[in-house]
mmCIF file of all heavy atoms in Angstrom:
data_model
loop_
_atom_site.group_PDB
_atom_site.id
_atom_site.type_symbol
_atom_site.label_atom_id
_atom_site.label_comp_id
_atom_site.label_asym_id
_atom_site.label_seq_id
_atom_site.Cartn_x
_atom_site.Cartn_y
_atom_site.Cartn_z
ATOM 1 N N TYR G 48 93.877 85.706 100.284
ATOM 2 C CA TYR G 48 94.641 86.789 100.919
ATOM 3 C C TYR G 48 95.361 86.236 102.137
ATOM 4 O O TYR G 48 94.786 85.474 102.917
ATOM 5 C CB TYR G 48 93.667 87.880 101.331
ATOM 6 C CG TYR G 48 94.241 89.117 102.001
ATOM 7 C CD1 TYR G 48 95.419 89.714 101.570
ATOM 8 C CD2 TYR G 48 93.558 89.717 103.051
ATOM 9 C CE1 TYR G 48 95.897 90.875 102.163
ATOM 10 C CE2 TYR G 48 94.024 90.874 103.658
ATOM 11 C CZ TYR G 48 95.189 91.454 103.209
ATOM 12 O OH TYR G 48 95.658 92.608 103.810
ATOM 13 N N HIS G 49 96.616 86.625 102.341
ATOM 14 C CA HIS G 49 97.389 85.916 103.358
ATOM 15 C C HIS G 49 96.850 86.122 104.768
ATOM 16 O O HIS G 49 97.114 85.317 105.667
ATOM 17 C CB HIS G 49 98.874 86.258 103.250
ATOM 18 C CG HIS G 49 99.278 87.614 103.720
ATOM 19 N ND1 HIS G 49 99.380 87.927 105.057
ATOM 20 C CD2 HIS G 49 99.634 88.736 103.058
ATOM 21 C CE1 HIS G 49 99.773 89.186 105.172
ATOM 22 N NE2 HIS G 49 99.936 89.694 103.984
ATOM 23 N N TYR G 50 96.058 87.201 104.986
ATOM 24 C CA TYR G 50 95.450 87.354 106.313
ATOM 25 C C TYR G 50 94.484 86.196 106.607
ATOM 26 O O TYR G 50 94.265 85.843 107.763
ATOM 27 C CB TYR G 50 94.640 88.658 106.384
ATOM 28 C CG TYR G 50 95.406 89.947 106.501
ATOM 29 C CD1 TYR G 50 96.668 90.116 105.931
ATOM 30 C CD2 TYR G 50 94.852 91.037 107.171
ATOM 31 C CE1 TYR G 50 97.336 91.328 106.027
ATOM 32 C CE2 TYR G 50 95.521 92.248 107.289
ATOM 33 C CZ TYR G 50 96.758 92.381 106.710
ATOM 34 O OH TYR G 50 97.424 93.599 106.817
ATOM 35 N N LEU G 51 93.874 85.616 105.565
ATOM 36 C CA LEU G 51 92.872 84.547 105.759
ATOM 37 C C LEU G 51 93.507 83.162 105.837
ATOM 38 O O LEU G 51 92.864 82.203 106.278
ATOM 39 C CB LEU G 51 91.833 84.590 104.630
ATOM 40 C CG LEU G 51 90.872 85.779 104.671
ATOM 41 C CD1 LEU G 51 90.005 85.825 103.415
ATOM 42 C CD2 LEU G 51 89.984 85.723 105.916
ATOM 43 N N ILE G 52 94.775 83.068 105.460
ATOM 44 C CA ILE G 52 95.426 81.745 105.466
ATOM 45 C C ILE G 52 95.531 81.171 106.880
ATOM 46 O O ILE G 52 95.053 80.064 107.153
ATOM 47 C CB ILE G 52 96.798 81.816 104.764
ATOM 48 C CG1 ILE G 52 96.616 82.103 103.272
ATOM 49 C CG2 ILE G 52 97.587 80.525 104.992
ATOM 50 C CD1 ILE G 52 97.914 82.305 102.496
ATOM 51 N N PRO G 53 96.097 81.897 107.859
ATOM 52 C CA PRO G 53 96.168 81.312 109.220
ATOM 53 C C PRO G 53 94.785 81.026 109.795
ATOM 54 O O PRO G 53 94.591 80.042 110.500
ATOM 55 C CB PRO G 53 96.892 82.391 110.026
ATOM 56 C CG PRO G 53 97.483 83.329 109.052
ATOM 57 C CD PRO G 53 96.667 83.243 107.808
ATOM 58 N N GLU G 54 93.821 81.897 109.452
ATOM 59 C CA GLU G 54 92.465 81.689 109.986
ATOM 60 C C GLU G 54 91.876 80.396 109.425
ATOM 61 O O GLU G 54 91.242 79.630 110.130
ATOM 62 C CB GLU G 54 91.580 82.903 109.638
ATOM 63 C CG GLU G 54 92.026 84.202 110.310
ATOM 64 C CD GLU G 54 91.233 85.422 109.847
ATOM 65 O OE1 GLU G 54 90.020 85.291 109.605
ATOM 66 O OE2 GLU G 54 91.838 86.502 109.717
ATOM 67 N N ILE G 56 93.662 77.776 108.176
ATOM 68 C CA ILE G 56 94.450 76.623 108.658
ATOM 69 C C ILE G 56 94.035 76.255 110.073
ATOM 70 O O ILE G 56 93.865 75.080 110.418
ATOM 71 C CB ILE G 56 95.960 76.939 108.543
ATOM 72 C CG1 ILE G 56 96.379 76.872 107.062
ATOM 73 C CG2 ILE G 56 96.802 75.986 109.391
ATOM 74 C CD1 ILE G 56 97.804 77.307 106.795
ATOM 75 N N PHE G 67 98.906 74.362 101.327
ATOM 76 C CA PHE G 67 99.609 74.939 100.181
ATOM 77 C C PHE G 67 99.692 73.968 99.003
ATOM 78 O O PHE G 67 99.999 74.361 97.881
ATOM 79 C CB PHE G 67 100.999 75.428 100.604
ATOM 80 C CG PHE G 67 100.957 76.712 101.391
ATOM 81 C CD1 PHE G 67 101.192 76.723 102.763
ATOM 82 C CD2 PHE G 67 100.631 77.910 100.769
ATOM 83 C CE1 PHE G 67 101.129 77.900 103.496
ATOM 84 C CE2 PHE G 67 100.569 79.100 101.491
ATOM 85 C CZ PHE G 67 100.808 79.099 102.860
ATOM 86 N N HIS G 264 109.064 85.779 108.857
ATOM 87 C CA HIS G 264 109.194 84.312 108.804
ATOM 88 C C HIS G 264 109.267 83.682 110.195
ATOM 89 O O HIS G 264 110.065 82.770 110.436
ATOM 90 C CB HIS G 264 110.448 83.932 107.990
ATOM 91 C CG HIS G 264 110.606 84.718 106.733
ATOM 92 N ND1 HIS G 264 109.599 84.857 105.798
ATOM 93 C CD2 HIS G 264 111.628 85.477 106.264
ATOM 94 C CE1 HIS G 264 110.004 85.643 104.803
ATOM 95 N NE2 HIS G 264 111.219 86.041 105.054
ATOM 96 N N VAL G 265 108.427 84.131 111.119
ATOM 97 C CA VAL G 265 108.362 83.487 112.439
ATOM 98 C C VAL G 265 107.884 82.049 112.290
ATOM 99 O O VAL G 265 108.338 81.142 112.979
ATOM 100 C CB VAL G 265 107.427 84.310 113.365
ATOM 101 C CG1 VAL G 265 107.002 83.506 114.583
ATOM 102 C CG2 VAL G 265 108.111 85.607 113.766
ATOM 103 N N ASN G 266 106.937 81.872 111.352
ATOM 104 C CA ASN G 266 106.553 80.514 110.961
ATOM 105 C C ASN G 266 106.663 80.418 109.444
ATOM 106 O O ASN G 266 105.700 80.708 108.726
ATOM 107 C CB ASN G 266 105.135 80.169 111.422
ATOM 108 C CG ASN G 266 104.775 78.732 111.014
ATOM 109 O OD1 ASN G 266 105.534 78.082 110.280
ATOM 110 N ND2 ASN G 266 103.613 78.261 111.452
ATOM 111 N N PRO G 267 107.836 80.010 108.934
ATOM 112 C CA PRO G 267 108.047 80.012 107.481
ATOM 113 C C PRO G 267 107.076 79.085 106.726
ATOM 114 O O PRO G 267 106.814 79.286 105.543
ATOM 115 C CB PRO G 267 109.501 79.525 107.323
ATOM 116 C CG PRO G 267 110.012 79.216 108.664
ATOM 117 C CD PRO G 267 109.004 79.563 109.682
ATOM 118 N N CYS G 268 106.519 78.087 107.463
ATOM 119 C CA CYS G 268 105.560 77.172 106.791
ATOM 120 C C CYS G 268 104.338 77.939 106.279
ATOM 121 O O CYS G 268 103.633 77.482 105.393
ATOM 122 C CB CYS G 268 105.083 76.102 107.771
ATOM 123 S SG CYS G 268 106.400 75.102 108.439
ATOM 124 N N LEU G 269 104.074 79.121 106.836
ATOM 125 C CA LEU G 269 102.902 79.898 106.414
ATOM 126 C C LEU G 269 103.212 80.861 105.273
ATOM 127 O O LEU G 269 102.389 81.684 104.892
ATOM 128 C CB LEU G 269 102.308 80.661 107.608
ATOM 129 C CG LEU G 269 101.714 79.803 108.727
ATOM 130 C CD1 LEU G 269 101.154 80.687 109.831
ATOM 131 C CD2 LEU G 269 100.631 78.873 108.193
ATOM 132 N N GLU G 270 104.457 80.800 104.775
ATOM 133 C CA GLU G 270 104.890 81.675 103.655
ATOM 134 C C GLU G 270 104.607 83.146 103.994
ATOM 135 O O GLU G 270 104.951 83.607 105.082
ATOM 136 C CB GLU G 270 104.231 81.204 102.347
ATOM 137 C CG GLU G 270 104.632 79.746 102.027
ATOM 138 C CD GLU G 270 104.091 79.259 100.693
ATOM 139 O OE1 GLU G 270 103.454 80.051 99.948
ATOM 140 O OE2 GLU G 270 104.309 78.068 100.379
ATOM 141 N N LEU G 271 103.897 83.860 103.114
ATOM 142 C CA LEU G 271 103.688 85.301 103.329
ATOM 143 C C LEU G 271 102.920 85.566 104.627
ATOM 144 O O LEU G 271 103.005 86.639 105.215
ATOM 145 C CB LEU G 271 102.904 85.883 102.141
ATOM 146 C CG LEU G 271 102.855 87.395 101.954
ATOM 147 C CD1 LEU G 271 104.251 87.987 101.893
ATOM 148 C CD2 LEU G 271 102.050 87.737 100.710
ATOM 149 N N ALA G 272 102.190 84.541 105.082
ATOM 150 C CA ALA G 272 101.372 84.709 106.295
ATOM 151 C C ALA G 272 102.172 84.398 107.555
ATOM 152 O O ALA G 272 101.635 84.418 108.653
ATOM 153 C CB ALA G 272 100.152 83.795 106.228
ATOM 154 N N GLY G 273 103.470 84.135 107.404
ATOM 155 C CA GLY G 273 104.279 83.662 108.534
ATOM 156 C C GLY G 273 104.990 84.742 109.313
ATOM 157 O O GLY G 273 105.750 84.461 110.244
ATOM 158 N N ASP G 274 104.752 86.017 108.974
ATOM 159 C CA ASP G 274 105.422 87.113 109.687
ATOM 160 C C ASP G 274 104.676 87.449 110.979
ATOM 161 O O ASP G 274 103.476 87.207 111.095
ATOM 162 C CB ASP G 274 105.464 88.380 108.811
ATOM 163 C CG ASP G 274 106.229 88.157 107.517
ATOM 164 O OD1 ASP G 274 107.140 87.292 107.507
ATOM 165 O OD2 ASP G 274 105.898 88.818 106.514
ATOM 166 N N SER G 275 105.432 88.025 111.915
ATOM 167 C CA SER G 275 104.788 88.399 113.179
ATOM 168 C C SER G 275 105.254 89.774 113.627
ATOM 169 O O SER G 275 105.823 90.538 112.857
ATOM 170 C CB SER G 275 105.072 87.336 114.249
ATOM 171 O OG SER G 275 104.256 87.578 115.386
ATOM 172 N N TRP G 326 98.639 96.584 109.409
ATOM 173 C CA TRP G 326 98.674 95.120 109.468
ATOM 174 C C TRP G 326 97.920 94.573 110.694
ATOM 175 O O TRP G 326 96.726 94.588 110.718
ATOM 176 C CB TRP G 326 100.112 94.681 109.478
ATOM 177 C CG TRP G 326 100.452 93.313 109.041
ATOM 178 C CD1 TRP G 326 99.627 92.223 108.925
ATOM 179 C CD2 TRP G 326 101.761 92.883 108.677
ATOM 180 N NE1 TRP G 326 100.365 91.134 108.510
ATOM 181 C CE2 TRP G 326 101.674 91.508 108.366
ATOM 182 C CE3 TRP G 326 103.014 93.506 108.596
ATOM 183 C CZ2 TRP G 326 102.795 90.763 107.965
ATOM 184 C CZ3 TRP G 326 104.118 92.788 108.186
ATOM 185 C CH2 TRP G 326 104.002 91.426 107.882
ATOM 186 N N PHE G 327 98.663 94.160 111.728
ATOM 187 C CA PHE G 327 98.016 93.570 112.912
ATOM 188 C C PHE G 327 97.331 94.657 113.755
ATOM 189 O O PHE G 327 96.631 94.332 114.719
ATOM 190 C CB PHE G 327 99.052 92.802 113.755
ATOM 191 C CG PHE G 327 99.801 91.749 112.984
ATOM 192 C CD1 PHE G 327 101.171 91.868 112.757
ATOM 193 C CD2 PHE G 327 99.154 90.665 112.432
ATOM 194 C CE1 PHE G 327 101.873 90.912 112.018
ATOM 195 C CE2 PHE G 327 99.837 89.698 111.694
ATOM 196 C CZ PHE G 327 101.207 89.829 111.487
#
Side-chain angles (χ1 to χ4, degrees):
Y48 181 41
H49 74 76
Y50 285 32
L51 289 173
I52 293 175
E54 295 174 36
I56 286 174
F67 285 107
H264 316 309
V265 164
N266 181 353
C268 301
L269 295 181
E270 300 184 4
L271 195 55
D274 299 332
S275 190
W326 202 342
F327 305 114

